[in-house]
Amino acid sequence: AMRFTDELKENAGPKWAAVVNHQWTDLLAEGNLSKESICSYLIQDHRFLDSFVVLLASMIAKAPTLQDRLPGCQFLALITGKENTYFERSFEALGVTELQRKDTPNSKPTEGFIALMRSVADSGDYAQMLCVLCVAEWSYLSWADRVKALRSESKPFYLMEWIDLHCGEGFESVVEYL
């Protein structure tokens, strides 16, 4: 029998394909993103990290059992550790200043995603929280998994480590958990 999440992904069809087959991810893996593009992306991606942490922590609090909470706690620790230092190291390597990070306005998608995560966290609805988290992380996994064969140590770490953070057994287990 097909899992419910797989059925939803299949029903999304071309919309899901458009998300996970985006040219931006190909350019990242090939090492062909412009500095401006990766800087802009990382500033926006880092902007919603706080709301993501709030959503994940809210989901953990609403999980029905300790057994259901533990994988979420481990993922939360990972995000607030290694992934957070990834942003800081990348900003430093790319020369992105605190002022640039502060003064760059949120894009419309960033505003929308922050609002969605905060609204769902505030709702207290465990199923909605799982839905938003699952789609977000499954998208990242699908992007990274699709292009991981193109990664190379000769390319800048801030491009390759983004792929590493979003694929592999550890990240796959997070998506499976969600």
Side-chain angles (χ1 to χ4, degrees), residues 11-66:
N11 288 340
K15 289 180 182 179
W16 180 260
V19 167
V20 300
N21 294 304
H22 198 278
Q23 181 186 15
W24 187 92
T25 313
D26 296 331
L27 293 171
L28 178 139
E30 293 163 358
N32 293 327
L33 275 182
S34 68
K35 181 179 176 183
E36 180 182 297
S37 181
I38 190 64
C39 289
S40 174
Y41 171 80
L42 289 175
I43 289 169
Q44 296 299 315
D45 200 38
H46 191 253
R47 287 273 169 81
F48 56 72
L49 184 59
D50 181 54
S51 297
F52 185 83
V53 166
V54 168
L55 176 58
L56 181 56
S58 298
M59 184 277 297
I60 292 166
K62 291 293 185 176
T65 68
L66 177 62

Side-chain angles (χ1 to χ4, degrees), residues 5 16 48-49 51-61 72 75-76 79 113 116-117 120-121 125-141 171 174-178:
T5 50
W16 180 260
F48 56 72
L49 184 59
S51 297
F52 185 83
V53 166
V54 168
L55 176 58
L56 181 56
S58 298
M59 184 277 297
I60 292 166
F75 183 44
L76 184 59
I79 287 173
F113 197 38
L116 173 65
M117 288 188 289
V120 171
D125 187 316
Y126 181 64
Q128 284 188 30
M129 289 185 246
L130 280 174
C131 181
V132 171
L133 290 166
C134 183
V135 170
E137 298 309 286
W138 202 354
S139 297
Y140 278 122
L141 172 63
F171 197 72
V174 167
V175 174
E176 186 65 31
Y177 156 71
L178 293 171

Side-chain angles (χ1 to χ4, degrees), residues 131-163:
C131 181
V132 171
L133 290 166
C134 183
V135 170
E137 298 309 286
W138 202 354
S139 297
Y140 278 122
L141 172 63
S142 297
W143 289 331
D145 199 45
R146 187 178 62 78
V147 299
K148 68 184 175 189
L150 299 174
R151 66 171 320 290
S152 164
E153 295 303 323
S154 66
K155 297 172 187 166
F157 84 87
Y158 46 82
L159 301 177
M160 299 302 101
E161 194 172 325
W162 183 93
I163 295 169

Side-chain angles (χ1 to χ4, degrees), residues 63-71:
T65 68
L66 177 62
Q67 184 177 352
D68 293 323
R69 287 184 188 94
L70 290 178

